Amino acid sequence: MDSIIVFDMDGVLAEVTESYREAIVQTVRYFTGKIVARDTIQDYKNQGGWNNDWALSQKIAADLGTQVDYDTVIEKFNEFFLGEDGNGLIRRERWFPRPGLLERLRKRYGLSIFTGRLRYEADITLRRFASEIEFDPMICADDVTASKPAPEGLHAIRRRKPGNKFWYVGDTVDDARCARAAGMPFIGIAASTDSRRDELIGLFEQEKAIAILENVNQIEEAL
């Protein structure tokens, strides 16, 4: 039996505070004129059910008193996030894995991705930071009909790689619930910089995470 590590991308492989999270801030500010705190965004994430940042931007705007059509939110969000030809906030992303980590892991494990990103968004970041690493398979938002915490993506990976042992590595309660629903052991990432870290750790413990790390670079010891 082989072992496969399935990674979420945002908050696990890619640092997205100044990309996706900032795109939420700018989108909400565009429609409401109000600046939403990063802590408030994390509060929504910890509630669960807000893996989709477009939907979350729409929800926060509505809670601030401004109703916006979903497609309009997507259009404005992508202007901020993608810019023109990928020169938007996505360029602010940083890569969490230190040099050599993924190369060492792939000598012992298969590497896979299940992310809430669309494939073209995932490809932009992977080409930039990990062009030499193969993630097989990579399941993105446009490959599933139900987003996390629904386990559809993890089930799809298991079907493509039958007979293997899996772990799922994620940074939100939706990731943890997705793993539990799929019957897949979960490793949680709770960054030391997260102002709601203690709450997140508690949520991971409730979802029976087998390990909780500050960042993905601790994964070798955990495994």
Side-chain angles (χ1 to χ4, degrees):
M1 177 185 292
D2 293 327
S3 298
I4 297 175
I5 306 169
V6 185
F7 295 99
D8 177 41
M9 280 192 69
D10 302 336
V12 176
L13 297 177
E15 210 291 336
V16 297
T17 302
E18 295 301 322
S19 60
Y20 278 106
R21 295 295 174 96
E22 179 62 18
I24 294 172
V25 172
Q26 293 193 22
T27 301
V28 171
R29 181 173 58 186
Y30 178 85
F31 290 114
T32 70
K34 299 173 183 177
I35 298 177
V36 58
R38 300 288 178 82
D39 288 354
T40 300
I41 295 173
Q42 189 61 46
D43 287 339
Y44 279 92
K45 292 285 187 179
N46 284 358
Q47 291 173 20
W50 296 111
N51 188 65
N52 181 328
D53 288 344
W54 297 333
L56 178 53
S57 299
Q58 184 189 40
K59 168 65 173 174
I60 295 174
D63 287 349
L64 292 173
T66 302
Q67 302 291 333
V68 188
D69 178 75
Y70 184 61
D71 289 340
T72 303
V73 171
I74 293 173
E75 181 179 3
K76 183 54 63 176
F77 185 101
N78 285 346
E79 285 182 21
F80 292 127
F81 179 68
L82 294 171
E84 297 181 8
D85 300 322
N87 67 352
L89 293 171
I90 194 171
R91 294 295 300 175
R92 296 187 184 181
E93 290 179 348
R94 294 183 291 110
W95 194 241
F96 274 129
R98 297 191 188 110
L101 173 67
L102 295 177
E103 288 81 0
R104 291 193 303 273
L105 288 175
R106 70 177 179 179
K107 291 178 180 179
R108 299 176 57 194
Y109 308 98
L111 304 182
S112 179
I113 284 176
F114 174 38
T115 177
R117 292 190 183 208
L118 296 172
R119 184 167 295 271
Y120 73 87
E121 296 173 356
D123 285 342
I124 290 172
T125 296
L126 291 175
R127 283 196 301 267
R128 182 179 173 200
F129 293 111
S131 59
E132 302 301 316
I133 303 296
E134 181 182 9
F135 295 95
D136 179 36
M138 181 169 73
I139 302 295
C140 300
D142 29 2
D143 298 313
V144 298
T145 58
S147 60
K148 293 182 281 187
E152 182 182 347
L154 295 182
H155 287 318
I157 290 172
R158 184 178 276 133
R159 284 195 301 271
R160 295 192 192 185
K161 299 286 184 177
N164 292 287
K165 180 179 180 179
F166 296 89
W167 295 275
Y168 189 39
V169 187
D171 73 316
T172 69
V173 67
D174 280 342
D175 293 328
R177 291 170 180 168
C178 176
R180 179 168 57 82
M184 192 174 289
F186 178 72
I187 296 174
I189 303 292
S192 59
T193 55
D194 187 343
S195 63
R196 299 291 191 264
R197 185 171 192 266
D198 290 344
E199 178 184 342
L200 184 60
I201 288 173
L203 292 168
F204 287 162
E205 289 173 343
Q206 290 176 23
E207 297 299 329
K208 310 301 182 185
I210 63 168
I212 301 172
L213 316 177
E214 286 191 14
N215 64 73
V216 72
N217 293 292
Q218 299 172 332
I219 194 170
E220 291 170 292
E221 180 179 353
L223 290 172

Coordinates of all heavy atoms in Angstrom, one line a residue, residues 4-14 20 51-52 95 110-119 122 126 134-161 166-187:
I4 N -0.4 8.6 0.3 CA -0.6 9.8 -0.4 C -1.0 11.0 0.5 O -1.9 10.8 1.3 CB -1.6 9.6 -1.5 CG1 -1.2 8.6 -2.6 CG2 -1.9 11.0 -2.3 CD1 -2.2 8.2 -3.6
I5 N -0.3 12.1 0.4 CA -0.6 13.3 1.1 C -1.4 14.2 0.2 O -0.9 14.5 -0.9 CB 0.6 14.0 1.6 CG1 1.6 13.1 2.4 CG2 0.2 15.2 2.5 CD1 2.9 13.7 2.7
V6 N -2.6 14.5 0.6 CA -3.5 15.4 -0.1 C -3.4 16.8 0.5 O -3.8 16.9 1.7 CB -4.9 14.9 -0.2 CG1 -5.7 15.8 -1.1 CG2 -5.0 13.5 -0.7
F7 N -3.0 17.8 -0.2 CA -2.9 19.1 0.4 C -4.0 20.0 -0.1 O -4.4 20.0 -1.3 CB -1.6 19.8 -0.1 CG -0.3 19.2 0.4 CD1 0.4 18.3 -0.5 CD2 0.2 19.4 1.6 CE1 1.6 17.7 0.0 CE2 1.4 18.9 2.1 CZ 2.1 18.0 1.2
D8 N -4.5 20.8 0.8 CA -5.3 22.0 0.4 C -4.2 23.0 0.0 O -3.0 22.9 0.4 CB -6.1 22.5 1.6 CG -6.8 23.8 1.4 OD1 -7.3 24.0 0.3 OD2 -6.8 24.7 2.2
M9 N -4.5 24.0 -0.7 CA -3.5 25.0 -1.2 C -3.5 26.2 -0.3 O -2.4 26.5 0.3 CB -3.8 25.5 -2.6 CG -3.3 24.5 -3.7 SD -3.3 25.2 -5.3 CE -2.0 26.4 -5.2
D10 N -4.6 26.9 -0.1 CA -4.6 28.2 0.5 C -4.4 28.1 2.0 O -5.1 27.4 2.7 CB -5.9 29.0 0.3 CG -6.1 29.2 -1.2 OD1 -5.1 29.2 -2.0 OD2 -7.2 29.3 -1.7
G11 N -3.4 28.7 2.6 CA -3.1 28.6 4.0 C -2.2 27.4 4.3 O -1.8 27.2 5.5
V12 N -2.0 26.5 3.4 CA -1.2 25.3 3.6 C 0.0 25.3 2.7 O 1.2 25.3 3.2 CB -2.1 24.0 3.2 CG1 -1.2 22.7 3.4 CG2 -3.3 23.9 4.2
L13 N -0.1 25.4 1.4 CA 1.0 25.5 0.5 C 1.3 27.0 0.2 O 2.4 27.4 0.0 CB 0.7 24.8 -0.8 CG 0.6 23.3 -0.7 CD1 0.3 22.6 -2.0 CD2 1.9 22.6 -0.1
A14 N 0.2 27.8 0.0 CA 0.4 29.2 -0.4 C -0.1 30.1 0.8 O -1.2 29.9 1.3 CB -0.4 29.5 -1.6
Y20 N -6.0 36.3 -1.5 CA -7.5 36.0 -1.3 C -8.1 36.8 -0.2 O -9.2 37.4 -0.4 CB -7.7 34.5 -1.1 CG -7.7 33.6 -2.3 CD1 -6.6 32.8 -2.6 CD2 -8.8 33.6 -3.2 CE1 -6.6 32.0 -3.7 CE2 -8.8 32.8 -4.3 CZ -7.7 32.0 -4.6 OH -7.7 31.2 -5.7
N51 N -16.0 28.3 2.5 CA -14.8 28.0 1.7 C -14.7 28.8 0.5 O -13.6 29.1 0.0 CB -14.8 26.5 1.4 CG -13.5 26.1 0.8 OD1 -12.5 26.1 1.5 ND2 -13.5 25.6 -0.4
N52 N -15.9 29.2 -0.1 CA -16.0 30.0 -1.3 C -15.8 31.5 -1.0 O -16.7 32.1 -0.4 CB -17.3 29.7 -2.0 CG -17.5 30.5 -3.3 OD1 -17.0 31.6 -3.5 ND2 -18.2 29.8 -4.3
W95 N 5.1 31.2 -0.8 CA 5.1 29.8 -0.8 C 5.6 29.3 0.6 O 6.7 29.7 1.0 CB 6.0 29.2 -1.9 CG 5.9 27.8 -2.2 CD1 6.8 26.8 -2.1 CD2 4.7 27.1 -2.8 NE1 6.3 25.6 -2.5 CE2 5.0 25.8 -2.9 CE3 3.4 27.6 -3.1 CZ2 4.1 24.8 -3.4 CZ3 2.5 26.6 -3.6 CH2 2.9 25.3 -3.7
G110 N 3.0 9.7 -2.3 CA 2.4 10.4 -3.5 C 1.9 11.8 -3.0 O 1.5 11.9 -1.8
L111 N 1.9 12.8 -3.8 CA 1.5 14.1 -3.5 C 0.3 14.5 -4.3 O 0.3 14.3 -5.6 CB 2.6 15.1 -3.7 CG 3.9 14.9 -3.0 CD1 4.9 16.0 -3.2 CD2 3.7 14.7 -1.5
S112 N -0.8 15.0 -3.7 CA -2.0 15.3 -4.4 C -2.5 16.6 -3.8 O -2.0 17.1 -2.8 CB -3.0 14.2 -4.2 OG -4.3 14.5 -4.8
I113 N -3.5 17.2 -4.5 CA -4.1 18.5 -4.1 C -5.6 18.4 -4.2 O -6.1 17.9 -5.2 CB -3.6 19.7 -4.9 CG1 -2.2 20.1 -4.5 CG2 -4.5 20.9 -4.8 CD1 -1.5 21.2 -5.3
F114 N -6.3 18.9 -3.2 CA -7.7 19.2 -3.3 C -7.9 20.6 -2.8 O -7.8 20.8 -1.6 CB -8.6 18.2 -2.5 CG -10.1 18.5 -2.5 CD1 -10.7 19.1 -3.7 CD2 -10.9 18.4 -1.4 CE1 -12.0 19.4 -3.7 CE2 -12.2 18.7 -1.4 CZ -12.8 19.3 -2.5
T115 N -8.3 21.5 -3.7 CA -8.4 22.9 -3.4 C -9.7 23.5 -3.8 O -10.3 23.0 -4.8 CB -7.2 23.7 -4.0 OG1 -7.4 25.1 -3.8 CG2 -7.2 23.5 -5.6
G116 N -10.1 24.5 -3.1 CA -11.3 25.3 -3.5 C -11.0 26.3 -4.6 O -11.9 27.0 -5.0
R117 N -9.8 26.4 -5.0 CA -9.4 27.3 -6.2 C -10.0 26.7 -7.5 O -10.0 25.5 -7.6 CB -7.9 27.4 -6.3 CG -7.2 28.1 -5.2 CD -5.8 28.4 -5.7 NE -5.0 29.0 -4.6 CZ -4.0 29.9 -4.8 NH1 -3.6 30.1 -6.1 NH2 -3.4 30.4 -3.8
L118 N -10.2 27.6 -8.4 CA -10.4 27.1 -9.8 C -9.1 26.7 -10.3 O -8.0 27.1 -9.9 CB -11.0 28.2 -10.7 CG -12.4 28.7 -10.3 CD1 -12.7 30.0 -11.1 CD2 -13.4 27.6 -10.5
R119 N -9.1 25.8 -11.3 CA -7.8 25.2 -11.8 C -6.9 26.3 -12.4 O -5.7 26.2 -12.1 CB -8.1 24.2 -12.9 CG -6.9 23.4 -13.4 CD -7.3 22.2 -14.2 NE -8.0 21.2 -13.3 CZ -7.3 20.3 -12.7 NH1 -6.0 20.2 -12.7 NH2 -8.0 19.4 -11.9
A122 N -5.1 27.9 -9.5 CA -4.1 27.0 -8.9 C -2.9 26.9 -9.8 O -1.8 26.9 -9.3 CB -4.7 25.6 -8.7
L126 N 1.1 27.4 -8.9 CA 2.0 26.2 -9.0 C 3.1 26.4 -10.0 O 4.2 26.0 -9.8 CB 1.2 25.0 -9.3 CG 0.2 24.5 -8.2 CD1 -0.6 23.3 -8.6 CD2 1.0 24.1 -6.9
E134 N 5.1 17.3 -9.1 CA 3.8 16.7 -9.7 C 2.9 16.4 -8.6 O 3.2 15.7 -7.6 CB 4.1 15.4 -10.5 CG 2.9 14.8 -11.1 CD 3.2 13.5 -11.9 OE1 4.3 13.0 -11.8 OE2 2.3 13.1 -12.6
F135 N 1.7 16.9 -8.7 CA 0.6 16.6 -7.8 C -0.4 15.8 -8.6 O -1.0 16.3 -9.5 CB -0.1 17.9 -7.2 CG 0.9 18.7 -6.4 CD1 1.6 19.8 -6.9 CD2 1.0 18.4 -5.0 CE1 2.4 20.5 -6.1 CE2 1.8 19.2 -4.2 CZ 2.6 20.2 -4.8
D136 N -0.6 14.5 -8.2 CA -1.4 13.6 -9.0 C -2.3 12.8 -8.1 O -1.8 12.0 -7.3 CB -0.6 12.7 -9.9 CG -1.4 11.8 -10.7 OD1 -2.5 12.1 -11.1 OD2 -0.9 10.6 -10.9
P137 N -3.7 13.1 -8.2 CA -4.3 14.1 -9.1 C -4.4 15.4 -8.3 O -4.2 15.5 -7.1 CB -5.7 13.5 -9.3 CG -6.0 12.7 -8.0 CD -4.7 12.2 -7.6
M138 N -4.8 16.4 -9.1 CA -5.2 17.7 -8.5 C -6.6 17.9 -8.8 O -7.0 18.0 -10.0 CB -4.3 18.9 -9.1 CG -4.7 20.2 -8.5 SD -3.5 21.5 -8.9 CE -3.9 21.8 -10.6
I139 N -7.4 18.1 -7.8 CA -8.8 18.3 -7.9 C -9.1 19.7 -7.4 O -8.8 20.1 -6.3 CB -9.7 17.3 -7.0 CG1 -9.3 15.9 -7.4 CG2 -11.1 17.6 -7.1 CD1 -9.8 15.5 -8.8
C140 N -9.8 20.5 -8.3 CA -10.1 21.9 -8.1 C -11.6 22.1 -8.0 O -12.4 21.2 -8.2 CB -9.4 22.8 -9.2 SG -7.6 22.6 -9.3
A141 N -11.9 23.4 -7.7 CA -13.3 23.7 -7.6 C -14.2 23.4 -8.8 O -15.3 23.0 -8.7 CB -13.5 25.2 -7.2
D142 N -13.5 23.5 -10.0 CA -14.3 23.3 -11.2 C -14.4 21.8 -11.5 O -14.9 21.4 -12.6 CB -13.8 24.1 -12.4 CG -12.3 24.4 -12.3 OD1 -11.6 24.0 -11.3 OD2 -11.8 25.1 -13.2
D143 N -13.8 20.9 -10.7 CA -13.9 19.5 -10.9 C -15.0 18.8 -10.0 O -15.2 17.6 -10.2 CB -12.5 18.8 -10.5 CG -11.4 19.3 -11.4 OD1 -11.6 19.3 -12.6 OD2 -10.3 19.7 -10.9
V144 N -15.6 19.6 -9.1 CA -16.6 19.1 -8.3 C -17.9 19.9 -8.4 O -17.9 21.0 -8.8 CB -16.1 19.1 -6.8 CG1 -14.9 18.2 -6.6 CG2 -15.8 20.5 -6.3
T145 N -19.0 19.2 -8.0 CA -20.3 19.9 -8.0 C -20.6 20.5 -6.6 O -21.5 21.4 -6.5 CB -21.4 19.0 -8.4 OG1 -21.4 17.8 -7.5 CG2 -21.2 18.4 -9.8
A146 N -20.0 20.0 -5.6 CA -20.2 20.5 -4.2 C -18.9 20.8 -3.6 O -18.0 20.0 -3.5 CB -21.0 19.4 -3.4
S147 N -18.8 22.1 -3.1 CA -17.5 22.5 -2.5 C -17.4 22.0 -1.1 O -18.4 21.6 -0.5 CB -17.5 24.1 -2.5 OG -18.5 24.6 -1.8
K148 N -16.2 22.1 -0.5 CA -16.0 21.8 0.9 C -16.9 22.6 1.8 O -17.2 23.7 1.5 CB -14.5 22.1 1.3 CG -13.5 21.2 0.5 CD -12.1 21.4 0.9 CE -11.5 22.7 0.3 NZ -10.1 22.8 0.6
P149 N -17.4 21.9 2.8 CA -17.0 20.7 3.5 C -17.5 19.4 2.8 O -17.3 18.3 3.4 CB -17.5 20.8 4.9 CG -18.8 21.6 4.8 CD -18.5 22.6 3.7
A150 N -18.2 19.4 1.7 CA -18.6 18.2 1.0 C -17.3 17.4 0.6 O -16.4 18.0 0.2 CB -19.4 18.5 -0.2
P151 N -17.3 16.1 0.8 CA -16.1 15.3 0.5 C -15.9 14.9 -0.9 O -15.1 14.0 -1.2 CB -16.3 14.1 1.5 CG -17.8 13.9 1.4 CD -18.4 15.3 1.4
E152 N -16.7 15.4 -1.8 CA -16.6 15.0 -3.2 C -15.2 14.9 -3.8 O -14.8 13.9 -4.4 CB -17.5 15.8 -4.1 CG -17.6 15.4 -5.5 CD -18.5 16.3 -6.4 OE1 -19.2 17.2 -5.8 OE2 -18.4 16.2 -7.6
G153 N -14.4 15.9 -3.5 CA -13.1 16.0 -4.1 C -12.2 14.9 -3.5 O -11.4 14.3 -4.3
L154 N -12.3 14.6 -2.2 CA -11.5 13.6 -1.6 C -11.9 12.2 -2.1 O -11.1 11.3 -2.3 CB -11.5 13.7 -0.1 CG -10.9 14.9 0.5 CD1 -11.0 14.9 2.0 CD2 -9.5 15.1 0.1
H155 N -13.2 12.0 -2.3 CA -13.7 10.8 -2.9 C -13.1 10.6 -4.3 O -12.8 9.4 -4.7 CB -15.2 10.7 -2.9 CG -15.8 10.5 -1.5 ND1 -15.3 9.6 -0.6 CD2 -16.9 11.1 -1.0 CE1 -16.1 9.7 0.5 NE2 -17.1 10.6 0.3
A156 N -13.1 11.6 -5.0 CA -12.6 11.5 -6.4 C -11.1 11.1 -6.4 O -10.7 10.3 -7.3 CB -12.7 12.9 -7.1
I157 N -10.3 11.7 -5.5 CA -8.9 11.3 -5.4 C -8.8 9.8 -5.0 O -8.0 9.1 -5.6 CB -8.2 12.2 -4.4 CG1 -8.1 13.6 -5.0 CG2 -6.8 11.7 -4.0 CD1 -7.6 14.7 -4.0
R158 N -9.6 9.4 -4.1 CA -9.5 8.0 -3.6 C -9.9 7.1 -4.8 O -9.2 6.0 -4.9 CB -10.4 7.8 -2.4 CG -10.3 6.4 -1.9 CD -11.2 6.2 -0.6 NE -10.5 6.7 0.6 CZ -11.1 7.5 1.5 NH1 -12.3 8.0 1.3 NH2 -10.4 7.8 2.6
R159 N -10.8 7.4 -5.6 CA -11.2 6.6 -6.7 C -10.1 6.5 -7.7 O -9.9 5.4 -8.4 CB -12.5 7.1 -7.4 CG -13.8 6.9 -6.6 CD -15.0 7.1 -7.5 NE -15.0 8.5 -8.0 CZ -15.6 9.5 -7.4 NH1 -16.2 9.3 -6.2 NH2 -15.7 10.7 -8.0
R160 N -9.4 7.6 -7.9 CA -8.3 7.6 -8.9 C -7.0 6.8 -8.4 O -6.2 6.4 -9.2 CB -7.9 9.0 -9.3 CG -9.0 9.8 -10.0 CD -8.5 11.0 -10.6 NE -9.6 11.9 -11.0 CZ -9.4 13.1 -11.6 NH1 -8.1 13.5 -11.9 NH2 -10.4 13.8 -12.0
K161 N -6.9 6.7 -7.1 CA -5.8 6.1 -6.4 C -6.2 5.0 -5.5 O -6.0 5.1 -4.3 CB -4.9 7.1 -5.7 CG -4.3 8.2 -6.6 CD -3.2 7.7 -7.5 CE -2.6 8.8 -8.3 NZ -1.4 8.3 -9.1
F166 N -4.3 7.6 2.8 CA -4.3 9.0 2.6 C -4.3 9.8 3.9 O -4.8 9.4 4.9 CB -5.6 9.4 1.8 CG -5.7 8.8 0.4 CD1 -6.3 7.5 0.3 CD2 -5.3 9.5 -0.7 CE1 -6.5 7.0 -1.0 CE2 -5.4 8.9 -1.9 CZ -6.0 7.7 -2.1
W167 N -3.8 11.0 3.7 CA -4.0 12.1 4.7 C -4.4 13.3 4.0 O -4.0 13.6 2.9 CB -2.7 12.4 5.5 CG -2.1 11.4 6.3 CD1 -2.4 11.1 7.6 CD2 -1.1 10.4 5.9 NE1 -1.6 10.0 8.1 CE2 -0.8 9.6 7.1 CE3 -0.3 10.2 4.8 CZ2 0.2 8.6 7.0 CZ3 0.6 9.2 4.7 CH2 0.8 8.4 5.9
Y168 N -5.2 14.1 4.6 CA -5.6 15.4 4.1 C -5.1 16.5 5.0 O -5.3 16.5 6.2 CB -7.1 15.6 3.9 CG -7.6 16.8 3.2 CD1 -6.9 17.2 2.0 CD2 -8.7 17.5 3.6 CE1 -7.2 18.4 1.3 CE2 -9.1 18.7 2.8 CZ -8.3 19.1 1.7 OH -8.7 20.2 1.0
V169 N -4.4 17.5 4.4 CA -3.8 18.6 5.2 C -4.5 19.9 4.8 O -4.5 20.3 3.7 CB -2.3 18.7 4.8 CG1 -1.6 19.8 5.8 CG2 -1.6 17.4 4.9
G170 N -5.1 20.5 5.8 CA -5.9 21.7 5.6 C -5.8 22.7 6.7 O -5.3 22.4 7.8
D171 N -6.4 23.9 6.5 CA -6.2 25.0 7.5 C -7.6 25.6 7.9 O -7.6 26.6 8.7 CB -5.3 26.1 6.9 CG -6.0 26.9 5.9 OD1 -6.7 26.4 5.0 OD2 -5.9 28.2 5.9
T172 N -8.7 25.0 7.6 CA -10.0 25.5 8.0 C -10.8 24.3 8.5 O -10.6 23.2 8.3 CB -10.7 26.1 6.8 OG1 -11.1 25.1 5.9 CG2 -9.9 27.2 6.2
V173 N -11.9 24.7 9.3 CA -12.8 23.7 9.8 C -13.5 23.0 8.7 O -13.8 21.8 8.8 CB -13.8 24.3 10.8 CG1 -14.7 25.3 10.1 CG2 -14.5 23.3 11.6
D174 N -13.7 23.7 7.5 CA -14.3 23.0 6.4 C -13.4 21.9 5.8 O -13.9 20.9 5.4 CB -14.6 24.0 5.3 CG -15.9 24.8 5.5 OD1 -16.7 24.4 6.4 OD2 -16.1 25.9 4.9
D175 N -12.1 22.2 5.8 CA -11.2 21.1 5.4 C -11.3 19.9 6.4 O -11.3 18.8 5.9 CB -9.8 21.6 5.4 CG -9.5 22.7 4.4 OD1 -10.1 22.7 3.3 OD2 -8.7 23.6 4.7
A176 N -11.3 20.2 7.7 CA -11.4 19.1 8.7 C -12.7 18.3 8.5 O -12.7 17.1 8.6 CB -11.3 19.7 10.1
R177 N -13.8 19.0 8.3 CA -15.1 18.3 8.2 C -15.2 17.5 6.8 O -15.8 16.5 6.8 CB -16.2 19.3 8.3 CG -16.4 19.9 9.7 CD -17.3 21.1 9.8 NE -17.4 21.5 11.2 CZ -17.9 22.7 11.5 NH1 -18.5 23.5 10.6 NH2 -18.0 23.0 12.8
C178 N -14.5 18.1 5.8 CA -14.4 17.4 4.6 C -13.7 16.1 4.7 O -14.1 15.0 4.2 CB -13.7 18.3 3.6 SG -13.4 17.6 1.9
A179 N -12.6 16.1 5.4 CA -11.8 14.9 5.7 C -12.6 13.9 6.5 O -12.6 12.7 6.2 CB -10.5 15.3 6.4
R180 N -13.2 14.3 7.5 CA -14.0 13.4 8.4 C -15.1 12.8 7.6 O -15.3 11.5 7.7 CB -14.6 14.2 9.6 CG -15.4 13.3 10.5 CD -15.7 14.0 11.8 NE -16.4 15.3 11.6 CZ -17.7 15.5 11.4 NH1 -18.5 14.4 11.3 NH2 -18.2 16.7 11.3
A181 N -15.8 13.5 6.7 CA -16.9 13.0 5.9 C -16.3 12.0 4.9 O -17.1 11.0 4.5 CB -17.6 14.1 5.2
A182 N -15.1 12.1 4.5 CA -14.5 11.2 3.5 C -13.8 10.0 4.2 O -13.3 9.1 3.6 CB -13.5 11.9 2.7
G183 N -13.8 10.0 5.6 CA -13.1 9.0 6.3 C -11.6 9.0 6.1 O -10.9 8.0 6.1
M184 N -11.0 10.2 6.0 CA -9.6 10.4 5.7 C -9.0 11.1 6.9 O -9.5 12.1 7.4 CB -9.4 11.2 4.4 CG -8.1 11.2 3.9 SD -8.0 12.1 2.2 CE -8.9 10.9 1.2
P185 N -7.9 10.6 7.4 CA -7.2 11.3 8.6 C -6.8 12.7 8.2 O -6.4 13.0 7.1 CB -5.9 10.4 8.8 CG -6.3 9.1 8.2 CD -7.2 9.4 7.1
F186 N -7.0 13.6 9.1 CA -6.8 15.1 8.9 C -5.6 15.6 9.7 O -5.5 15.4 10.9 CB -8.1 15.8 9.2 CG -8.0 17.3 9.0 CD1 -7.9 17.9 7.7 CD2 -7.9 18.2 10.1 CE1 -7.8 19.2 7.6 CE2 -7.8 19.5 10.0 CZ -7.7 20.1 8.7
I187 N -4.8 16.4 9.0 CA -3.7 17.2 9.7 C -4.1 18.6 9.5 O -4.2 19.1 8.4 CB -2.4 16.9 9.1 CG1 -2.0 15.4 9.3 CG2 -1.3 17.8 9.7 CD1 -0.8 14.9 8.6

